Amino acid sequence: MGGSKAYPYGSTTAVRGHVLAALGVLKLATADQMHRLMAPGHRDNKAFRNGALDLARHGLVVSEGSSRDGHKIWHLTPVGLDAAAEALGRPVGEMGGTARGAARSGAPHAMAVNETIIAITRTPATATQSVPRHQTTHDLVTAAATTGPTPPAEPVTDVPGIGWVGSWSTEVPLAAPSSRSGRAGVRADAVLTAPEAGLPVLFVEVDNCTEPPETLEAKFEKYLRYFRLTTKSSVGDNMPLWRTRYRPSSRDGHPPLVFVFNPGTRIGLQALNNRMTTVLKGTRQIWAGDYQAGPGYGSPEERDGYWDFADAIPVLFTTLDRLQAGGPHGAVWWRCGHRQWETLPDALDNPADRRAWQAREKVRRAGYDKEVAQRERAVEGSVGLRSRTPSRNPCPRWRRVSGVGGRSPARWGRTRLCLLRRRMAGTARCVAATYASTRPCAPPSSGAGRAASSPARSRARPGPGHGGEP
């Protein structure tokens, strides 16, 4: 493709604008990543390579290294940063830095963040037309005879995404305005603002599984400290500091946080599963919420109440390969709730690993059911609920009320309430029998207790003090 004297590589104005916009958001990117983010409808990334080379001749972009897979990494110069701000329509003060020198080590973390943004955005592959060239009729006939018909382009899976390149910001510092250094806050890997998709703000963190789990847990705590910061609004009320920077959502509480794990070839599937389990269990106090128990007797776990998520961060997590395959609207997310977090069954894509997990889960549930059954039998014996004649339904009535035998913590309250009613009823029968007869009151399930509770039987079989034999 021939070019002009100013742009010898023949790039178009639109492609050069795509290169500036992509580098203005991603800071570091390869030509292939810019192609998939901005215009995946192009047949290949040659146009973006030519655009980067033309911009490099004018001192707007520069390449100082290559990625781990051998692709050349490009980033903006200070002059190119101003041009990218013009292409994106943003103030220069919000563009961030130029990531100078970061490409010399391959920038593995920046490449993973770029892949996450591409997987969530999923720019539609709009068909493009080739640029017409001035050719003679003889040239057209010769080209058609030598090359033959043009093969059709490969079909692209139409999976919807969220936002566009202007919806993203990378390496965003989150700290109080009075903090001169970023040590008191956290630097988000990426921030998505897509109110048109019902997502005012979403914070994204990418983990390449190279840091210890304690480092990730500390990042959760930094996010919580930042979300707790407040400032004065225009009417004098306290409001969260992050809402002065991002559009508030319709829901109360902290904004959501997405954690994307990218193991690559560094760790195996089981090690990844263990890492995710360790991180999420270590940060349970951040996303689990607080149980607010009502007034009453007993421990706070036994009293009726509700879960308060006002100070909890909604956390979603997934892996990069699942996000790339299913997209942001697919069944690729795991959500942290207030209940006990368990091992991830969907992370086991290998059929053998999935069957092994199912076997372990079956053994665990069997042991849990056995423990619940023993606890129920102990409670039945203590309150005298056993009957001499077996019931037609093997499941007792108070257990049927609880639904699944008391597995759910929310249903244990109804079970305890029913047990308390039975206990009070048994106590009332014992008191009535004591007043009716001076014989020792037997449990309600025994024959002596039933005989003592009936006035007619009490007169037929008098005890001591009623004229009978001792």
Side-chain angles (χ1 to χ4, degrees):
M1 183 188 305
S4 61
K5 187 175 181 180
Y7 301 103
Y9 291 94
S11 62
T12 62
T13 305
V15 171
R16 292 194 297 270
H18 288 336
V19 172
L20 291 174
L23 293 179
V25 173
L26 303 180
K27 304 296 187 299
L28 293 168
T30 63
D32 180 66
Q33 290 176 341
M34 291 186 287
H35 162 240
R36 289 184 285 121
L37 176 63
M38 301 301 300
H42 285 238
R43 178 174 297 182
D44 51 25
N45 57 14
K46 184 178 180 180
F48 285 85
R49 293 200 309 267
N50 294 336
L53 291 172
D54 283 338
L55 291 174
R57 291 180 61 88
H58 293 269
L60 299 180
V61 301
V62 66
S63 176
E64 297 179 345
S66 301
S67 60
R68 300 292 174 87
D69 53 1
H71 293 279
K72 186 178 292 187
I73 300 177
W74 299 91
H75 69 86
L76 296 171
T77 62
V79 179
L81 195 65
D82 298 339
E86 181 67 23
L88 291 171
R90 296 180 179 178
V92 180
E94 297 180 2
M95 295 299 297
T98 59
R100 181 179 179 181
R104 297 176 182 176
S105 61
H109 184 263
M111 297 297 102
V113 174
N114 295 349
E115 294 296 336
T116 302
I117 294 176
I118 295 171
I120 295 178
T121 306
R122 291 185 174 268
T123 305
T126 306
T128 57
Q129 297 180 358
S130 58
V131 179
R133 301 294 174 184
H134 296 285
Q135 296 179 347
T136 62
T137 306
H138 176 72
D139 296 336
L140 293 174
V141 173
T142 305
T146 55
T147 60
T150 303
E154 297 181 358
V156 181
T157 304
D158 188 12
V159 179
I162 300 176
W164 64 293
V165 64
S167 305
W168 288 94
S169 300
T170 57
E171 297 297 324
V172 182
L174 305 176
S178 59
S179 177
R180 296 184 178 180
S181 63
R183 295 182 180 181
V186 61
R187 183 177 293 271
D189 291 340
V191 180
L192 171 63
T193 55
E196 70 279 357
L199 193 62
V201 60
L202 177 68
F203 296 90
V204 181
E205 287 291 330
V206 181
D207 175 37
N208 276 348
C209 302
T210 56
E211 299 176 337
E214 292 76 14
T215 304
L216 302 182
E217 296 174 8
K219 186 168 288 189
F220 275 87
E221 297 175 357
K222 290 181 179 180
Y223 269 103
L224 184 60
R225 287 200 297 267
Y226 173 71
F227 292 152
R228 286 175 175 175
L229 295 177
T230 59
T231 185
K232 292 293 184 180
S233 63
S234 58
V235 295
D237 298 334
N238 289 331
M239 63 177 300
L241 178 63
W242 66 269
R243 290 197 173 183
T244 61
R245 186 172 184 178
Y246 301 102
R247 181 178 299 182
S249 61
S250 58
R251 58 176 298 275
D252 296 331
H254 303 319
L257 173 64
V258 166
F259 240 85
V260 180
F261 292 86
N262 177 35
T265 58
R266 289 172 292 274
I267 62 176
L269 183 62
Q270 189 60 42
L272 172 63
N273 205 6
N274 296 338
R275 180 181 180 85
M276 297 169 75
T277 304
T278 303
V279 171
L280 294 172
K281 284 187 177 180
T283 58
R284 180 178 175 81
Q285 70 278 5
I286 295 178
W287 49 260
D290 298 328
Y291 186 76
Q292 304 293 334
Y297 297 98
S299 61
E301 292 78 9
E302 296 179 354
R303 298 198 298 265
D304 293 336
Y306 62 94
W307 287 93
D308 185 11
F309 295 94
D311 196 37
I313 301 178
V315 177
L316 298 174
F317 54 99
T318 185
T319 57
L320 181 57
D321 54 349
R322 292 173 61 88
L323 187 59
Q324 291 174 334
H329 296 286
V332 300
W333 304 101
W334 294 289
R335 183 178 63 86
C336 298
H338 66 277
R339 300 188 184 278
Q340 182 66 30
W341 186 82
E342 298 179 356
T343 307
L344 305 177
D346 294 336
L348 305 176
D349 296 330
N350 190 1
D353 296 338
R354 184 179 294 274
R355 287 192 295 268
W357 178 88
Q358 291 175 353
R360 293 194 301 268
E361 186 69 10
K362 184 177 181 181
V363 173
R364 187 187 67 82
R365 289 186 178 276
Y368 183 79
D369 294 342
K370 183 178 180 181
E371 180 184 355
V372 171
Q374 293 176 355
R375 188 184 307 171
E376 291 171 355
R377 286 196 296 268
V379 173
E380 290 177 1
S382 63
V383 300
L385 292 180
R386 291 185 178 180
S387 177
R388 298 178 61 183
T389 58
S391 175
R392 296 181 180 179
N393 194 328
C395 184
R397 183 177 182 276
W398 62 268
R399 185 177 176 180
R400 292 199 303 271
V401 174
S402 63
V404 293
R407 290 184 185 177
S408 174
R411 293 175 178 173
W412 267 106
R414 295 195 295 269
T415 303
R416 294 192 182 95
L417 180 60
C418 195
L419 288 176
L420 181 60
R421 293 175 179 174
R422 289 297 184 94
R423 184 183 302 173
M424 294 175 62
T427 304
R429 287 196 297 268
C430 292
V431 172
T434 303
Y435 278 99
S437 173
T438 58
R439 294 174 60 88
C441 182
S445 59
S446 62
R450 291 194 299 270
S453 61
S454 176
R457 294 185 181 182
S458 177
R459 290 192 297 270
R461 298 177 56 184
H466 289 266
E469 294 292 334

